[in-house]
Amino acid sequence: MPRRERNKFVKRGEIIELLIEDYAFGGKGIGRIRNEHGEFIVFVPNTIPGQTVKTQIKKSSKKYAEGKLLDVISRSEDETETPYQDIPGAPYIYLPIEKQHNYKLNSTIELFKRIGKVTDIESVFDEFVGSPNTFHYRNKMEYGFSAIGYDRNEKTDIDAFTLGFKKRGTWWCAENLDKDSGLFDADVENQLKKIRSYCEQTGLAPWHAPRKEGFFRYFIVRKSYKTNKLLFNLVTTSYDLPKFDLNAFANYLVELFGDRVAGFLHTINDEIGDRTIATTGSIKLIYGDDKIVEELLGLNFEISIKSFFQTNPKCAEKLYSKVVDYALENKEAVDNTVVLDLFCGTGTIGQIIASKANNTKIVGVDIVASAIKDAKENAKRNRIEGLEFYAADVGKFLTEHPQYKNKIRTIILDPARAGIAPKTLKKIINLNSERLVYVSCNPATQARDVEQLMLAGYSIKKMSLVDQFPHTAHIETVVLMEK
């Protein structure tokens, strides 16, 4: 067996300093190593041109390497100061929002040309929709407890009671969130250090990731923009639980946040894995209600601590409005017909279309049973008729319901990040629908699917980008395709 040729530029595990010179889709900065062997490209996620970064090489091939971002040594001249504490989940917080939009737009356009083979993508581009709130837009945050903290001044990990987020590039070490990150509720985040202090004073231990032991694990908060109410969930192990007074903690939250506290739940998670809410274990309501209510485009949705719901509800309204606009652009292909809403989640898009169309039957399908349960309850609450929801694999559902072939004029597609499985995509194509509205949180897999849809006779009529997550690399795309 021939020996594998050693990379002449970098080796796996090596830590290097790198100047980021360019930007690729998905928030990957491009750095270049130049030496006597020539030039070599290294992709580093969550970086932007102009930054000098410390990166650890994770993958290496003959043509390029991929690194993990460990630290930003010096910022780009495009970056500005911010009053917020920077966190790993918002790597572009220092970059003006217009620059973020430019990077996202240009890299997505290039992606559709390269992967989707859509050479004329600019000619069908509709608009870039920014988030109504650039800051404080999230309605949920998960803070982790850790027995290992990080000292930014000394640049080393230390033994300390910590509540915040994992330090970038580590799994064992966290940084305290001491003030507003600019992403979630400012009042909650400015009070978080008091909550940390309260928990520390109990003498009970935070989770020690390497040892897989401790009491305090996570502190989860959900917020309703409609009511401004907060729903709290403290996640602990069962070990030492009799020593912690849950009712006293609930009273302390009320002391801090007053009548904003909708409810407080306690979750037991004794699993050693990193999941916030375990598959085993219990969730118990300690105080108030176990749900909050959110509004989207005039419809009300009840959200529990485990429900899936759009993280940026104000921008979700913009996203759903774009989907509905594309769907209803040819109203004749929606009114008095059956519309398939595939990968429908909690059925929000289908409900909005049903509320705006005439005599339209929406058939929503999703594999997540709890999402379908929420969809049915929300439809009842909003008194919208003409909705049918099925908890099923989309591919299997289409095989078991051949009656839809050649009968559907409009299909809504909103798959998970992995896109649509090839076999399922073939079944969707075989339905022979006139129109498709394809929503995606991962334009790379969407572009791959779009190429197959174009080979099957569809063409892109319109495409928009929606920036649901400012200060991150994420972007949502909405594509209208017609035969």
Side-chain angles (χ1 to χ4, degrees):
M1 197 173 161
R3 250 179 69 206
R4 197 170 158 214
E5 192 183 331
R6 197 170 69 82
N7 191 305
K8 296 183 174 80
F9 297 93
V10 286
K11 57 179 185 284
R12 199 164 163 265
E14 189 178 350
I15 294 173
I16 60 171
E17 284 188 16
L18 198 63
L19 172 67
I20 302 300
E21 300 176 20
D22 219 332
Y23 184 90
F25 174 75
K28 287 184 179 178
I30 301 170
R32 292 178 176 86
I33 298 171
R34 298 174 178 90
N35 61 22
E36 68 275 14
H37 303 294
E39 189 175 283
F40 186 73
I41 283 177
V42 181
F43 292 102
V44 186
N46 297 325
T47 60
I48 55 168
Q51 289 178 335
T52 301
V53 302
K54 186 192 279 187
T55 180
Q56 183 173 36
I57 303 302
K58 286 297 177 197
K59 286 183 191 168
S60 180
S61 68
K62 277 186 189 177
K63 292 184 177 174
Y64 66 90
E66 289 189 27
K68 176 169 77 170
L69 177 63
L70 298 179
D71 201 8
V72 176
I73 295 161
S74 64
R75 288 199 221 143
S76 160
E77 59 182 28
D78 288 334
E79 294 182 272
T80 56
E81 285 308 311
T82 170
Y84 308 114
Q85 180 175 331
D86 62 289
I87 61 170
Y92 309 132
I93 194 96
Y94 296 108
L95 192 65
I97 198 70
E98 299 76 24
K99 290 265 184 195
Q100 295 182 36
H101 289 177
N102 285 341
Y103 281 135
K104 290 180 182 185
L105 174 60
N106 294 335
S107 60
T108 305
I109 292 287
E110 285 308 309
L111 190 83
F112 268 79
K113 286 180 177 177
R114 185 167 53 82
I115 296 178
K117 314 287 192 293
V118 191
T119 49
D120 63 340
I121 189 71
E122 288 96 341
S123 67
V124 294
F125 180 70
D126 180 8
E127 66 172 324
F128 190 107
V129 180
S131 174
N133 307 334
T134 303
F135 295 99
H136 304 115
Y137 61 81
R138 289 183 63 96
N139 63 359
K140 183 185 179 189
M141 212 56 137
E142 295 181 352
Y143 307 100
F145 289 95
S146 174
I148 305 171
Y150 184 74
D151 186 319
R152 282 196 183 195
N153 297 325
E154 298 296 323
K155 293 198 181 299
T156 183
D157 48 358
I158 52 172
D159 291 334
F161 193 109
T162 308
L163 177 57
F165 301 103
K166 282 199 174 77
K167 184 194 174 292
R168 186 178 278 130
T170 69
W171 57 271
W172 66 89
C173 168
E175 285 191 84
N176 278 324
L177 186 72
D178 289 319
K179 64 172 187 173
D180 181 11
S181 70
L183 295 196
F184 185 54
D185 187 271
D187 188 27
V188 169
E189 297 202 321
N190 285 324
Q191 302 276 24
L192 200 67
K193 54 181 179 289
K194 290 182 183 173
I195 292 164
R196 179 179 81 226
S197 176
Y198 180 100
C199 294
E200 188 173 8
Q201 281 167 26
T202 64
L204 298 169
W207 185 250
H208 194 297
R211 291 186 197 147
K212 312 285 185 206
E213 65 183 30
F215 177 71
F216 294 106
R217 296 198 69 171
Y218 297 98
F219 185 60
I220 302 165
V221 193
R222 291 200 96 140
K223 169 184 176 174
S224 162
Y225 280 85
K226 178 184 171 76
T227 63
N228 202 32
K229 295 275 189 182
L230 302 166
L231 187 61
F232 296 95
N233 183 20
L234 180 69
V235 182
T236 72
T237 57
S238 59
Y239 177 71
D240 274 342
L241 185 56
K243 295 178 187 171
F244 185 73
D245 189 333
L246 288 163
N247 291 309
F249 186 65
N251 292 337
Y252 183 65
L253 292 175
V254 173
E255 201 181 297
L256 289 178
F257 303 106
D259 61 6
R260 290 192 71 199
V261 180
F264 166 59
L265 299 110
H266 172 247
T267 297
I268 290 175
N269 180 356
D270 284 330
E271 292 181 4
I272 58 170
D274 215 10
R275 248 203 295 245
T276 44
I277 298 174
T279 45
T280 57
S282 62
I283 298 182
K284 190 177 167 191
L285 181 65
I286 307 298
Y287 171 87
D289 297 320
D290 64 351
K291 290 187 175 78
I292 48 175
V293 176
E294 191 56 275
E295 188 180 284
L296 278 183
L297 296 170
L299 303 180
N300 287 322
F301 298 89
E302 267 194 0
I303 307 161
S304 70
I305 207 74
K306 285 173 82 172
S307 304
F308 169 78
F309 197 74
Q310 288 287 348
T311 312
N312 180 350
K314 293 292 170 202
C315 195
E317 289 191 321
K318 300 268 186 191
L319 175 70
Y320 291 151
S321 293
K322 184 57 70 177
V323 176
V324 173
D325 285 352
Y326 283 3
L328 297 180
E329 194 171 271
N330 179 352
K331 204 154 180 293
E332 189 207 325
V334 175
D335 287 348
N336 306 302
T337 67
V338 174
V339 172
L340 286 184
D341 184 7
L342 304 179
F343 316 98
C344 69
T346 53
T348 314
I349 294 171
Q351 287 187 59
I352 297 165
I353 290 172
S355 69
K356 290 179 183 292
N358 297 318
N359 193 32
T360 301
K361 181 180 172 186
I362 308 282
V363 176
V365 186
D366 199 284
I367 198 165
V368 181
S370 60
I372 291 296
K373 185 170 172 272
D374 283 349
K376 288 175 178 175
E377 284 172 7
N378 288 327
K380 256 189 226 161
R381 183 175 304 106
N382 292 308
R383 297 190 178 132
I384 297 171
E385 292 175 359
L387 294 160
E388 278 181 20
F389 290 110
Y390 296 90
D393 171 77
V394 168
K396 227 175 188 176
F397 176 85
L398 294 178
T399 302
E400 290 166 4
H401 293 77
Q403 73 268 28
Y404 293 121
K405 189 172 180 179
N406 298 320
K407 296 276 180 5
I408 302 295
R409 297 184 69 183
T410 303
I411 299 176
I412 311 294
L413 302 166
D414 188 3
R417 287 191 66 75
I420 303 171
K423 282 181 181 173
T424 303
L425 189 60
K426 275 195 181 123
K427 289 173 185 175
I428 291 166
I429 289 166
N430 287 340
L431 290 169
N432 201 26
S433 169
E434 289 172 35
R435 318 163 66 239
L436 307 168
V437 183
Y438 188 156
V439 195
S440 174
C441 59
N442 185 354
T445 53
Q446 186 186 39
R448 176 202 71 199
D449 295 344
V450 158
E451 185 191 11
Q452 295 307 309
L453 289 164
M454 286 171 70
L455 291 170
Y458 289 94
S459 60
I460 298 181
K461 292 296 168 196
K462 284 185 176 180
M463 170 190 172
S464 286
L465 273 64
V466 182
D467 188 25
Q468 286 240 86
F469 301 102
H471 320 302
T472 77
H474 297 293
I475 192 74
E476 304 258 342
T477 38
V478 187
V479 173
L480 171 63
M481 302 190 82
E482 290 180 359
K483 280 222 160 175

